[in-house]
Amino acid sequence: MSEPEKKIRRTNQDGKESRPERSIKVIATNRKAHFEYEILTRFEAGLSLVGTEVKSLRLGKIQMADAYVDIQNGQAFLLNLHISQYDMAHQENHEPTRKRRLLLNKREIRKLWNALNEKGLTIVPLKVYFKGPYAKVEIAMAKGKKKYDKREAIARREADREMARKIRGSRE
């Protein structure tokens, strides 16, 4: 009889067992959030989804424009996130804008709840992605920008574009 096979374990420099890196595939980003809000703190949360939602996400059928996070009864929920219905499912399809539970620990939920009670702070999703087989969402505590801050951001972006054009023009 041969010896039983031993499992090969990967270790890092400290001798601790390490996990293999999970690939990240970004599905959607909320570009409007960076323009409308000043991002303060970011969190990574799991999404509680049904099967047809996962399949639609893999196809990239998602809209994040008006989505936000709310805390109800000690749980975090993502509201107004539109995941289109899966075309191949006929009877057991999901509701596109249903409220979806975020998978966070109590400490993180408490921080978010305290931020919601502060004046002027809100919680917005920044991007939805797959980390390995799991659907994740990056959320952030954010403070709304004033109109003059938005104008300043537009002016800065246009100045950067103009500089890039000049640099490209000088190379040729």
Side-chain angles (χ1 to χ4, degrees):
M1 292 185 129
S2 64
E3 287 185 39
E5 291 183 23
K6 293 182 180 178
K7 290 183 180 177
I8 299 173
R9 295 184 178 183
R10 296 182 184 182
T11 58
N12 59 14
Q13 293 172 348
D14 302 332
K16 294 181 181 175
E17 196 169 323
S18 65
R19 293 184 179 169
E21 291 294 319
R22 295 185 186 262
S23 63
I24 294 177
K25 180 184 175 193
V26 177
I27 305 300
T29 57
N30 190 354
R31 294 171 52 197
K32 191 175 179 183
H34 288 285
F35 180 71
E36 296 284 334
Y37 301 100
E38 176 186 340
I39 306 300
L40 303 176
T41 309
R42 297 169 189 252
F43 294 92
E44 179 183 68
L47 269 172
S48 181
L49 301 172
V50 296
T52 54
E53 289 175 323
V54 175
K55 291 179 179 189
S56 286
L57 269 183
R58 291 203 185 276
L59 295 174
K61 296 184 175 185
I62 182 171
Q63 296 173 6
M64 302 177 67
D66 298 326
Y68 64 97
V69 175
D70 193 22
I71 309 293
Q72 300 168 356
N73 298 326
Q75 293 184 357
F77 291 97
L78 187 57
L79 305 169
N80 289 344
L81 180 73
H82 187 279
I83 299 176
S84 298
Q85 290 189 339
Y86 185 59
D87 296 333
M88 306 303 268
H90 51 287
Q91 292 177 353
E92 298 182 21
N93 226 327
H94 63 277
E95 183 184 333
T97 56
R98 75 177 185 91
K99 111 177 149 175
R100 294 168 178 91
R101 186 167 167 237
L102 293 178
L103 306 174
L104 294 162
N105 62 40
K106 287 182 182 180
R107 185 174 10 101
E108 291 171 331
I109 291 173
R110 200 173 308 119
K111 280 183 186 178
L112 294 174
W113 188 77
N114 290 336
L116 282 178
N117 290 336
E118 264 187 62
K119 188 176 180 183
L121 289 183
T122 187
I123 305 166
V124 293
L126 299 179
K127 65 181 173 182
V128 176
Y129 55 95
F130 282 103
K131 191 172 187 179
Y134 304 108
K136 302 279 187 176
V137 62
E138 183 179 24
I139 58 175
M141 282 192 277
K143 188 173 188 175
K145 285 184 182 178
K146 304 286 184 199
K147 199 169 196 174
Y148 58 84
D149 289 334
K150 293 178 189 177
R151 286 189 195 132
E152 185 180 302
I154 292 170
R156 192 176 325 115
R157 185 173 52 221
E158 287 178 2
D160 289 344
R161 284 182 186 159
E162 188 63 33
M163 282 246 269
R165 275 191 214 115
K166 288 182 180 182
I167 291 172
R168 257 195 323 255
S170 65
R171 287 184 188 168
E172 294 173 3

